[in-house]
Amino acid sequence: MHEGHFLPEVKMETKVATCRSPPTVAEEPLSRKSQLISSVKSGLFILGTALIVFVAFRNTLTWHLQRFWGASGDFWQSQWVKVYQFFDGDEYCMNVWGTFLVTFAVYWGVGGLYTVMDLTGKPAFLLRYKIQENVPYPVKHTQVLRVIKQVLVNQIIMGIPFLIIGHYFMNLRGYSTGKELPTFQWVLLELSVFILVEEVAFYYSHRVLHHPRFYKYIHKQHHEWAAPIAITAIYCHPLEHIFSNVLPPFLGVLFMGSHTATCWLWFTIAILSTLNAHSGYHFPFFPSPEAHDFHHLKFNQNYGVLGVLDRFHGTDTLFRNSVIYDRHIMLLSLVPLKQLYPDNPKQKSM
């Protein structure tokens, strides 16, 4: 699943992504050992930062958040009780139909807002954050309708049976149930596990789909969009949807035996992440979608979500040697990143 910048006016001509000069002999691609060290450093940085923040605030911030999240009488706990009562405590209905309703509503609620922009090109001031500026935009209604039809097939025809099967696997494994929400600290731990499991499962399933034996018949459909829009996040062959879009986020949930509320939170985060990754916009204060957008542009770069396994396997070399890599950060101002990091450094805004 898986990721802006127009100048004020949308240009239509074709343009190839600008890359830095080819590496010299001294800048040859990293050896396997160097790639391993670099990958381990990236992974340790992510985990270390999360651990430091967690420990530093464990006795203060997390205590307050825990009370807000799940203590008896608090907002989230009371809301969950209402949800639980709405389903009459039926775990099957919550896990299957509740999960379907939550994921469907998040996907089309947020994806619909992006689609309005994709069809109208409005509000115009947001076009400054479009990543690929040299593609036809707004997109055609016929293209969007084709995407919507396939996405609905994947969500309904493929997604509901998967949820039913997933429910029975969760029962076999055993999972947290009932009216009481898990502690905030435990949810943080589970989310960390989910992210790591998804990175491994998505990276390798995605690379398999790019193998010549599978790409032409399965994954090529998703790559019809070299400049993706948000709702193309799960526009793909039904088999791909199951094994590369749905299964990777579910494996962590199955492994941890997570509470239904935690599952809904995680699936919501995963959907918002992949909508952003495919949106074609790099908005201020949003996670950077540059890596996955570059994957759609070049096809053989950035297969993962976090980038750790891409660094290990060297499948981000072209990306990291392009000017686009400089823009692969969270934008913390309203100035478009293409003005901060232009293709031609002489054009940089003062």
Side-chain angles (χ1 to χ4, degrees):
M1 303 185 284
H2 306 201
E3 311 180 0
H5 327 296
F6 262 26
L7 296 176
E9 295 182 0
V10 182
K11 300 179 182 179
M12 306 296 288
E13 68 270 25
T14 302
K15 177 181 178 182
V16 179
T18 303
C19 291
R20 297 169 180 164
S21 300
T24 63
V25 174
E27 297 171 330
E28 288 286 322
L30 294 176
S31 65
R32 177 63 64 181
K33 182 178 180 180
S34 298
Q35 291 173 351
L36 175 60
I37 293 174
S38 181
S39 177
V40 169
K41 286 181 178 179
S42 298
L44 289 177
F45 175 79
I46 294 171
L47 293 176
T49 301
L51 181 61
I52 291 171
V53 172
F54 177 75
V55 171
F57 292 95
R58 184 174 183 272
N59 295 322
T60 55
L61 179 62
T62 56
W63 183 83
H64 293 288
L65 290 173
Q66 166 58 31
R67 288 180 57 81
F68 180 68
W69 167 267
S72 177
D74 280 353
F75 176 76
W76 290 114
Q77 180 63 59
S78 62
Q79 297 308 306
W80 175 250
V81 169
K82 293 177 182 178
V83 172
Y84 191 87
Q85 292 173 343
F86 175 81
F87 287 98
D88 292 325
D90 189 324
E91 297 293 338
Y92 174 87
C93 286
M94 284 192 288
N95 287 342
V96 176
W97 299 113
T99 301
F100 173 77
L101 290 174
V102 169
T103 54
F104 191 89
V106 172
Y107 191 91
W108 289 110
V110 178
L113 296 177
Y114 279 110
T115 303
V116 171
M117 292 191 295
D118 294 327
L119 288 171
T120 65
K122 297 177 181 179
F125 73 91
L126 293 179
L127 296 178
R128 355 178 11 228
Y129 302 106
K130 199 79 172 67
I131 297 175
Q132 296 187 43
E133 61 182 20
N134 300 308
V135 295
Y137 198 84
V139 296
K140 297 179 180 179
H141 289 70
T142 53
Q143 292 177 301
V144 172
L145 285 175
R146 186 168 70 251
V147 170
I148 291 174
K149 290 177 182 178
Q150 184 62 55
V151 168
L152 290 175
V153 167
N154 289 339
Q155 289 179 315
I156 298 172
I157 306 300
M158 303 302 294
I160 293 177
F162 182 91
L163 289 173
I164 294 172
I165 296 172
H167 170 72
Y168 287 108
F169 272 98
M170 290 292 285
N171 279 334
L172 288 175
R173 186 259 181 255
Y175 65 99
S176 176
T177 62
K179 293 183 180 181
E180 185 175 353
L181 291 173
T183 65
F184 181 77
Q185 291 91 335
W186 182 251
V187 172
L188 284 182
L189 174 63
E190 287 191 301
L191 290 175
S192 300
V193 172
F194 298 162
I195 291 170
L196 294 176
V197 171
E198 184 194 30
E199 170 70 2
V200 175
F202 180 75
Y203 179 88
Y204 290 111
S205 64
H206 193 184
R207 284 206 70 176
V208 167
L209 289 171
H210 275 265
H211 189 281
R213 291 185 178 180
F214 302 106
Y215 181 82
K216 179 179 179 181
Y217 302 103
I218 299 178
H219 196 46
K220 185 178 180 179
Q221 182 177 2
H222 184 65
H223 274 283
E224 290 173 5
W225 290 79
I229 60 175
I231 60 170
T232 61
I234 59 173
Y235 170 71
C236 59
H237 190 285
L239 290 179
E240 174 181 345
H241 179 62
I242 294 299
F243 291 105
S244 192
N245 290 340
V246 179
L247 190 60
F250 174 72
L251 288 177
V253 167
L254 179 63
F255 176 73
M256 296 299 292
S258 301
H259 192 281
T260 304
T262 308
C263 297
W264 290 1
L265 173 63
W266 165 237
F267 294 150
T268 296
I269 293 172
I271 291 170
L272 293 177
S273 175
T274 193
L275 287 172
N276 178 63
H278 289 86
S279 68
Y281 286 90
H282 194 151
F283 288 129
F285 311 108
F286 279 44
S288 171
E290 300 283 353
H292 195 73
D293 193 271
F294 193 81
H295 171 76
H296 275 262
L297 185 64
K298 295 297 183 180
F299 293 84
N300 61 352
Q301 294 282 295
N302 304 337
Y303 296 101
V305 179
L306 298 177
V308 175
L309 289 175
D310 282 298
R311 183 70 62 89
F312 173 66
H313 289 288
T315 49
D316 63 351
T317 304
L318 180 61
F319 176 60
R320 294 198 299 119
N321 283 283
S322 73
V323 70
I324 297 174
Y325 183 69
D326 295 330
R327 303 171 189 147
H328 186 43
I329 57 176
M330 180 178 286
L331 178 58
L332 298 179
S333 76
L334 298 180
V335 180
L337 276 168
K338 280 200 172 181
Q339 291 183 23
L340 298 175
Y341 300 97
D343 294 342
N344 181 357
K346 295 181 180 180
Q347 298 174 349
K348 186 172 182 179
S349 299
M350 299 302 292

